[in-house]
Amino acid sequence: MKSIDWCLFTLVTQEHKIVIAEKLSERQSIFSEIALFITLPALITIIIFFIIVWFALGSELRPLQLLKKAIIDRSPDGLQPIQLDHKLIELTPLIHSQNTLFKTLEYVIESEKSFTDNAAYELIRPLKASLASFKLLILPT
């Protein structure tokens, strides 16, 4: 024969003594139902909340992903400004500073090319003159 555990509750008043007995197995099943009834909606709400946050953050951070892709995909000599349609106000100063940097680099590279061209021209004139005088020394006419 299987033994059944009971839980007894007793209330004693001046006139009466009331005793209530409850099976422990029923008590545990009621506790399980209450726990499931309380935690299941909270668990479903938390899961839905995380899904909503995941998609909201994904859509809000999309401009950052586009900016990252635009910077990674540019060629090493590509100095054209970044053109990016976005809604994030915080992103505008970053894009502006990047475009300013690209303009500065373009100016520096053009200045370097101009300096190199001028230096080459200034160096070639004396060399040509030296070469011409050398030819006169070697080949008397």
Side-chain angles (χ1 to χ4, degrees):
M1 180 174 206
K2 186 175 179 183
S3 148
I4 299 176
D5 292 328
W6 292 85
C7 186
L8 299 175
F9 300 98
T10 305
L11 175 65
V12 179
T13 64
Q14 292 178 354
E15 300 175 7
H16 304 290
K17 182 178 184 181
I18 302 172
V19 178
I20 298 174
E22 184 178 30
K23 291 181 186 176
L24 281 180
S25 60
E26 280 210 28
R27 186 173 176 83
Q28 289 171 348
S29 73
I30 290 172
F31 174 76
S32 298
E33 288 177 18
I34 291 173
L36 183 64
F37 182 74
I38 290 173
T39 58
L40 189 61
L43 185 63
I44 291 171
T45 304
I46 289 171
I47 291 171
I48 291 172
F49 173 75
F50 279 123
I51 291 171
I52 290 171
V53 167
W54 179 269
F55 283 113
L57 283 177
S59 68
E60 287 299 316
L61 294 178
R62 178 101 177 111
L64 282 176
Q65 293 294 333
L66 292 174
L67 177 62
K68 175 185 158 190
K69 185 175 178 356
I71 291 173
I72 288 174
D73 290 347
R74 68 192 302 110
S75 64
D77 58 345
L79 297 176
Q80 63 275 11
I82 296 173
Q83 301 294 328
L84 186 65
D85 294 329
H86 60 86
K87 299 178 284 186
L88 292 178
I89 297 170
E90 297 85 0
L91 208 56
T92 304
L94 177 63
I95 293 174
H96 180 68
S97 67
Q98 288 290 318
N99 289 339
T100 303
L101 174 66
F102 294 143
K103 285 178 189 174
T104 305
L105 281 173
E106 186 175 26
Y107 173 75
V108 167
I109 289 171
E110 289 300 320
S111 297
E112 182 184 335
K113 284 180 183 178
S114 174
F115 173 77
T116 306
D117 290 345
N118 288 338
Y121 177 74
E122 292 297 327
L123 287 173
I124 222 162
R125 282 186 8 199
L127 287 174
K128 281 185 179 180
S130 297
L131 188 60
S133 63
F134 183 69
K135 282 183 183 179
L136 286 175
L137 289 175
I138 293 179
L139 301 171
T141 53

